[in-house]
Amino acid sequence: MNKVALITGATSGIGKATALKAAEAGFNIIITGRRSDRLEQLAREIQEKGVEVLPLHFDIRQQTAVQQAIENLTGNWRNIAVLVNNAGLAVGVSPIQEGVLDDWERMIDTNIKGLLYITRAVAPLMIANNAGHIVNLASIAGKEVYPGGNVYCATKHAVDALSKAMRTDMLKHNIKVTNIAPGMVETEFSIVRYKGDEEAARNVYKGMTPLTNEDIADTILFAITRPPHVCLNDIVIMPTAQANSRDVNKI
Ligand code: NDP
Ligand code: 8X3
């Protein structure tokens, strides 16, 4: 029987590429997100790869919706082997004194609370199997800070801390926890951060070669296909043109 991988935020970017590559590797896939048209389209693409797929449509900030979606899983879908906590976003680049409260709430509610809600729902299923692997999408913004990054960086520092904490709590249950910390990856991330301003988003990557969603998906697939006794705890992956959050070699 194929193993089950659940990938949050699969309607775009890193989540979508990870879902497709995990399907190619033979996992049955649960995909989640808010945009149901995209979820259905991706479900068809995954099905064509010869594995089973289950699209779950919810806003990860809604605790009850998250809990019900997982509680309602039946049969082998309950045997989640891999949870990729990918859904997340940055909104805005204001300095702290000019911060937009709604932007802060969206980042905290999605990147921290949403990740916690789904982990709380899925972890007991893994514990029942005495096996599992949780992959958390943190960021270089969870290791460093940069101007205008304030609350986004704080949420990713929280993810980094939660990865360490989960690894401790999950230890006796034989569950791996991998923290992935990418630098600049060109997805819809910057379009969301700049609230639909596509030119501002393009400028972020102008003059340098960023990572792609497939680069990160390849890394996640490598991590989740190691032998049972091997856990990659923390992976920092950067574009060659980026040394850290602030030094980018733009030509
Ligand atoms: P995208 O904007 O392309 O994808 C984000 C995904 O998250 C979408 O599928 C979106 O789905 C989902 N999502 C956002 N909010 C919610 C919500 N409230 N409920 C459910 N799903 C939600 O960005 P990326 O692929 O780049 O980002 C994926 C993760 O990687 C994020 O956690 C991000 O912080 C992290 N990351 C990104 C980097 C980058 O440079 N791009 C670098 C380091 C880390 P929908 O809108 O349909 O709900
Ligand atoms: C996304 C990478 O550098 O924009 O997490 O914060 S960065």
Side-chain angles (χ1 to χ4, degrees):
M1 201 178 288
N2 292 0
K3 285 185 172 179
V4 174
L6 188 163
I7 295 136
T8 69
T11 56
S12 170
I14 295 168
K16 181 176 180 182
T18 303
L20 288 167
K21 283 185 189 284
E24 282 160 17
F27 285 87
N28 289 339
I29 310 288
I30 303 175
I31 46 175
T32 86
R34 291 168 300 179
R35 287 169 287 182
S36 50
D37 51 338
R38 289 196 185 199
L39 272 184
E40 296 301 333
Q41 171 59 34
L42 179 61
R44 284 191 287 276
E45 286 177 51
I46 290 172
Q47 226 158 16
E48 282 165 14
K49 296 187 184 293
V51 297
E52 291 177 27
V53 59
L54 180 65
L56 295 180
H57 176 227
F58 56 76
D59 185 327
I60 205 154
R61 294 171 294 180
Q62 304 298 324
Q63 189 272 331
T64 311
V66 173
Q67 188 184 336
Q68 277 174 3
I70 302 304
E71 270 175 15
N72 289 342
L73 292 175
T74 56
N76 192 47
W77 289 118
R78 295 182 70 76
N79 293 319
I80 296 169
V82 177
L83 167 64
V84 182
N85 277 322
N86 166 76
L89 77 179
V91 200
V93 285
S94 302
I96 205 88
Q97 70 278 12
E98 293 166 16
V100 178
L101 264 59
D102 185 58
D103 294 350
W104 293 0
E105 310 281 7
R106 285 174 63 192
M107 290 187 276
I108 292 166
D109 289 351
T110 310
N111 300 357
I112 306 177
K113 293 169 72 178
L115 179 145
L116 284 170
Y117 295 155
I118 193 139
T119 304
R120 177 66 184 84
V122 170
L125 303 180
M126 292 180 165
I127 288 170
N129 288 336
N130 196 43
H133 194 162
I134 299 170
V135 178
N136 291 329
L137 261 294
S139 170
I140 191 64
K143 310 276 185 195
E144 304 171 17
V145 294
Y146 52 87
N150 45 64
V151 174
Y152 177 68
C153 293
T155 66
K156 291 300 180 177
H157 275 70
V159 174
D160 197 275
L162 284 169
S163 292
K164 291 178 196 147
M166 286 181 197
R167 199 173 299 118
T168 303
D169 291 346
M170 294 294 119
L171 184 62
K172 64 176 180 290
H173 301 293
N174 194 40
I175 293 167
K176 304 182 192 187
V177 180
T178 297
N179 191 72
I180 311 259
M184 296 158 80
V185 189
E186 190 166 10
T187 59
E188 293 179 9
F189 176 85
S190 291
I191 299 172
V192 173
R193 176 170 237 174
Y194 287 97
K195 304 180 181 180
D197 183 342
E198 298 199 3
E199 198 187 339
R202 266 194 305 276
N203 279 338
V204 172
Y205 310 106
K206 207 168 175 182
M208 56 87 69
T209 305
L211 296 168
T212 68
N213 57 346
E214 302 225 328
D215 295 326
I216 308 304
D218 284 338
T219 306
I220 293 170
L221 261 291
F222 182 77
I224 65 175
T225 52
R226 292 310 86 210
H229 68 288
V230 178
C231 180
L232 294 173
N233 281 1
D234 196 4
I235 303 173
V236 178
I237 171 169
M238 305 292 282
T240 305
Q242 184 182 14
N244 53 50
S245 280
R246 299 179 74 157
D247 295 317
V248 180
N249 185 24
K250 288 206 170 193
I251 300 160

